[in-house]
Amino acid sequence: MSSAHRSRLRRGVTTSAAVALLVLSAAGCSLFGGSDGSLSLTVPKPSAKTAALCRALHRELPKTVDGLEWRVPEPASELTAAWGDPAVKLRCGVDKPAALTAGTEHYDPYAASAEIDGVQWLPERLDDGYRFTTVLRQAYVEVTVPGKYAPEVNPLVDLAKAVKKAVPPGVV
């Protein structure tokens, strides 16, 4: 893909993604702590079926995301990945986001998700950036993007192809 085409794609990221980010910012949604740029990641402990999907995703992940080079997080795992410094961090096999869990103070059955290149993502505002979690897929994939890389949705453009190929649609 040419850099001119990629630029048009980035500019063309769905308006709904930008609107969702603005709505969440205006609402002051800060559910969890921010990204600290370190490469330390907690490795999720998914079911065997979900772990298999995550290993398949790991094999499909691009070596660069939004122009950032691949880095190995600590501890190294097929369930995690990172790019750049501060790091854009990916964890596959995470739990369902609190915003989608009934019975919690964060439950919102109409949570605003945004579609980016065929993958639905739930955005959550952090102190420094955003956390995006896939929805309507057979595994939850979480991507944390530091504010330095605004607009924070750009890395999702590069990750969508891998997610679509490795993690089938469905509800967990």
Side-chain angles (χ1 to χ4, degrees), residues 53-71:
L53 293 172
C54 293
R55 285 190 300 276
L57 173 62
H58 197 267
R59 289 187 297 272
E60 297 298 326
L61 290 173
K63 296 301 177 201
T64 60
V65 169
D66 198 27
L68 305 170
E69 295 297 320
W70 177 281
R71 296 177 68 193

Side-chain angles (χ1 to χ4, degrees), residues 9-21 24 111-123 132-137 152-161 163-164 169:
L9 271 176
R10 292 199 192 291
R11 284 192 300 270
V13 169
T14 62
T15 303
S16 62
V19 170
L21 291 176
L24 288 172
S113 65
E115 181 180 319
I116 298 176
D117 288 350
V119 177
Q120 290 289 128
W121 299 88
L122 174 68
F132 300 94
T133 308
T134 58
V135 293
L136 303 176
R137 294 272 159 186
E152 290 90 339
V153 296
N154 282 351
L156 304 181
V157 173
D158 292 333
L159 294 169
K161 181 178 178 181
V163 170
K164 283 191 296 191

